[in-house]
Amino acid sequence: MRTTTSVNAGSMADIAFLMLIFFLTTTTIETDKGLSQTLPDPCLTKDCTAEIAERNLLRISINGNGEYLINERVIKLEELSTQVVNFVMNTEKSALKPSKPENAVVNLELSRELDYGTYIQVLDGVKQAYQQMRSDYSFERFSKALDQLNERELEQVLQAYPLNLGESAPARL
């Protein structure tokens, strides 16, 4: 008569469970990176459309040829920040531009076929313009750099130069 030996596998499940817990607790999972955009507050009224005066609206778009346009005028990407600053600050005191910086609205009209690299360049150009205006205002008003402001002062700067940014599909295809 032959006897067979068997291995007690009851503790194998315990070991596997302990190893699973060990690896789950010691492994760092890389989080996704993305754009830090703040979504607007939800609309609490029935009519959520807002009329924006044409003089307060700066339209930035990219056409099918890869040309950058501001209010349907072709510009170079390097000029984008300067054009945004000129519009928001109304340096020419034009009746066709916003009377106050807080009234300015920047609208990006971008095609869905546009690559993300170009989108990021345009967004960076707009944000760079606002960073410059906020920094200049900070020196003018508080005689401090933007990163040296306290919370109350920073809030005043952000109220003076809010980034009112909208995105839409191009009106014409």
Side-chain angles (χ1 to χ4, degrees):
M1 180 181 225
R2 243 173 126 183
T3 60
T4 59
T5 59
S6 64
V7 177
N8 184 3
S11 63
M12 291 294 252
D14 293 338
I15 292 171
F17 184 69
L18 287 172
M19 288 179 69
L20 179 66
I21 289 175
F22 171 76
F23 286 115
L24 285 175
T25 56
T26 59
T27 303
T28 56
I29 299 171
E30 200 171 314
T31 57
D32 292 335
K33 294 181 180 161
L35 300 175
S36 62
Q37 293 289 93
T38 305
L39 295 174
D41 294 328
C43 179
L44 301 174
T45 63
K46 288 185 179 184
D47 182 22
C48 296
T49 59
E51 290 294 321
I52 299 171
E54 191 66 33
R55 68 178 280 174
N56 295 333
L57 189 60
L58 178 68
R59 287 189 179 89
I60 300 173
S61 57
I62 302 173
N63 67 15
N65 300 329
E67 296 173 319
Y68 298 90
L69 293 99
I70 289 186
N71 291 338
E72 299 186 19
R73 203 184 89 231
V74 177
I75 64 157
K76 294 180 181 156
L77 181 61
E78 298 81 34
E79 299 173 22
L80 180 67
S81 290
T82 306
Q83 294 290 327
V84 172
V85 170
N86 289 342
F87 177 81
V88 174
M89 298 296 293
N90 195 359
T91 54
E92 300 156 7
K93 301 296 180 209
S94 170
L96 301 175
K97 294 184 180 179
S99 57
K100 294 188 253 176
E102 59 265 22
N103 293 342
V105 176
V106 178
N107 186 46
L108 303 178
E109 295 179 354
L110 306 170
S111 168
R112 291 195 181 270
E113 289 81 33
L114 186 69
D115 65 288
Y116 281 108
T118 306
Y119 171 76
I120 298 298
Q121 287 178 330
V122 171
L123 194 59
D124 283 348
V126 172
K127 288 186 174 186
Q128 180 182 2
Y130 271 87
Q131 184 70 15
Q132 177 187 341
M133 290 183 287
R134 290 170 178 169
S135 182
D136 292 347
Y137 182 78
S138 172
F139 273 115
E140 180 184 306
R141 171 90 187 206
F142 303 108
S143 301
K144 295 183 197 174
L146 198 57
D147 59 348
Q148 296 174 339
L149 298 178
N150 64 36
E151 220 175 288
R152 184 185 56 78
E153 293 168 337
L154 183 60
E155 189 176 308
Q156 287 179 10
V157 171
L158 294 177
Q159 284 179 351
Y161 292 95
L163 175 54
N164 298 317
L165 182 67
E167 292 184 23
S168 62
R172 297 180 226 44
L173 296 176

